[in-house]
Amino acid sequence: MDTLTRRRFLVASGVVGATALAAGAAAYRLDDLLATAGERDPQARVLVLVTLYGGNDGLNTVIPYADPAYHDARPDLAYPAEEVKRLDDEVGLNPALSGLHRLHGEGRLAVVRGVGYPKPDRSHFRSMDIWQTAQPERPGSTGWLGRWLDRAGGDPRLAVSFEPALPPLLAGERGAGASVPVTGRTSAKGLPESALAAFAAAAPDESPARARAAACFADLRSVDTMIRQVRDAAAAEEPADDAETPAATATGGASTPLDAQLDLVAQCVEAGVSTRVFSVSLGGFDTHADEKQLQQVLLGQVDRALTRFADRMARTDAGRRVVVAVHSEFGRRVRANASDGTDHGTASDVLLLGTAVRGGQYGEPPSLTDLDDGDLKFSTDFRDVYATLLERVLDTDPGEVLAGWRGRLTGVL
């Protein structure tokens, strides 16, 4: 990608910081993302990173139903054995995760147990900073996938977020990935089309800052148009009675933000675009009160979106090279609080799914009696997971991205 084109893309994608501010004012249409169809090596794997913001309760996601300590610590929050989707005689999945339970039985879901880092931090902001930068020792200024992007050539189309804002994990030293929000954007009501068009039009003799603002607004409008066109085209190609790909997957028949993000990821993968990393997310997991029902609803949304996506990916050669990783910034305390919820904790589980994954359980399950000030002790460093994804999915030496880190997960990919 030439310098001018790259600068245009950075402006269009909404990347913030010095790189974007130095970019030229000319608009770059984001449908060029889909114009890269066929450019990716057909043998290259693709990483889809799913972040569950808020600190998902790992003990009520992967449930140690046979452990008396689990029931003693959570008398009102614990699930009885007969409700759990069993993985073995010790642990099972939340009742809402029936689709992921099926994927585990088919060998397409891996559960990595007890994932965390030394000296855990229970702050949402600091813990998410640690997970996104992969630098637990000190605050970092670049994301782990941003550093990968720097080494992969810096083309922002290689790493795309379909979230409302660019996550720090895609920010590198010399550039950043692209942010393409697909939900939650609306234009001001009552403004005629002519006024919106005028906002997006360049004017003679205007300042560079205003020219950049006009270009960005023009690209926001083109993104909305592109997304509608992509969705309309995809809908037209799908049979109306396709039982394997339901149009509505969430509770009450309504699509969720995670559904929308993963739908667009699927369309990009099937088109063979050059993107190697996609970032998507779902929030709401900070369950300090009345946790059981709320978390089950959220996990049901995650289950339906991920299962639908995994089944869709399994139908094509390109899709079978996709690896999905699901994580949250921390787990919750072992013992329930007085509000039928759980407070910020430490170690939790990471889920990996896809045809390229060897299903099963990996890592040591955490002890519910040998605790660190009431919290689970981690047994798998999260950088082991990242290093495995970098090496086996993104074909990169993890040491160059993770400051020489040598740990790996064995056999999962």
Side-chain angles (χ1 to χ4, degrees), residues 378-401:
F378 82 98
S379 57
T380 302
D381 195 293
F382 76 118
R383 288 165 290 187
D384 291 357
V385 180
Y386 286 177
T388 303
L389 295 174
L390 286 164
E391 185 174 76
R392 302 304 304 275
V393 179
L394 298 179
D395 307 311
T396 298
D397 178 3
E400 296 180 357
V401 176

Side-chain angles (χ1 to χ4, degrees), residues 76-388:
D76 296 320
L77 286 184
Y79 284 92
E82 60 269 20
E83 292 184 16
V84 173
K85 302 292 184 182
R86 298 191 181 194
L87 301 180
D88 58 29
D89 293 336
E90 300 292 330
V91 300
L93 297 180
N94 187 283
L97 300 177
S98 57
L100 293 183
H101 181 255
R102 171 175 61 83
L103 294 182
H104 183 272
E106 296 171 355
R108 291 192 282 157
L109 173 70
V111 181
V112 186
R113 309 300 312 279
V115 182
Y117 54 87
K119 299 180 181 179
D121 194 297
R122 297 177 185 86
S123 161
H124 287 294
F125 302 104
R126 177 64 185 128
S127 188
M128 186 50 66
D129 174 75
I130 289 170
W131 275 88
Q132 297 210 12
T133 65
Q135 294 176 324
E137 297 86 2
R138 62 187 184 282
S141 59
T142 59
W144 70 282
L145 287 172
R147 298 193 294 275
W148 164 79
L149 182 63
D150 283 341
R151 286 156 180 78
D155 184 341
R157 293 177 298 185
L158 291 174
V160 173
S161 166
F162 288 134
E163 300 160 272
L166 185 77
L169 69 94
L170 298 186
E173 295 177 357
R174 298 184 294 275
S179 178
V180 186
V182 296
T183 59
R185 184 194 300 126
T186 58
S187 59
K189 295 181 179 179
L191 289 177
E193 175 64 24
S194 58
L196 295 174
F199 285 141
D205 301 324
E206 66 183 349
S207 69
R210 290 188 177 184
R212 284 195 293 270
C216 287
F217 189 77
D219 284 303
L220 284 173
R221 301 188 74 211
S222 70
V223 167
D224 289 334
T225 300
M226 184 270 290
I227 296 299
R228 286 195 300 271
Q229 291 173 344
V230 169
R231 290 195 178 282
D232 290 346
E237 293 174 1
E238 289 185 2
D241 59 351
D242 186 354
E244 295 185 3
T245 310
T249 59
T251 303
S255 180
T256 69
L258 186 58
D259 287 310
Q261 294 170 48
L262 288 174
D263 279 347
L264 198 51
V265 172
Q267 293 163 31
C268 290
V269 169
E270 290 163 355
V273 301
S274 59
T275 309
R276 296 288 306 279
V277 173
F278 293 96
S279 177
V280 301
S281 64
L282 182 69
F285 289 88
D286 196 14
T287 51
H288 288 278
D290 301 322
E291 174 186 309
K292 197 169 186 179
Q293 182 178 3
L294 172 58
Q295 189 201 24
Q296 193 163 334
V297 169
L298 290 169
L299 290 179
Q301 295 177 6
V302 172
D303 182 76
R304 286 182 286 272
L306 289 176
T307 303
R308 180 185 178 215
F309 179 77
D311 287 342
R312 181 173 175 176
M313 292 295 92
R315 299 174 199 163
T316 64
D317 289 340
R320 285 188 285 272
R321 303 196 69 77
V322 172
V323 174
V324 181
V326 186
H327 76 104
S328 193
E329 66 260 40
F330 45 60
R332 316 295 292 190
R333 301 278 283 181
V334 173
R335 187 165 296 278
N337 61 29
S339 301
D340 292 329
T342 51
D343 297 325
H344 300 176
T346 54
S348 190
D349 301 303
V350 170
L351 306 180
L352 302 175
L353 61 145
T355 304
V357 171
R358 291 193 179 100
Q361 297 182 55
Y362 296 82
E364 291 294 324
S367 170
L368 273 63
T369 55
D370 180 18
L371 302 177
D372 179 11
D373 190 25
D375 280 323
L376 299 175
K377 296 179 179 179
F378 82 98
S379 57
T380 302
D381 195 293
F382 76 118
R383 288 165 290 187
D384 291 357
V385 180
Y386 286 177
T388 303

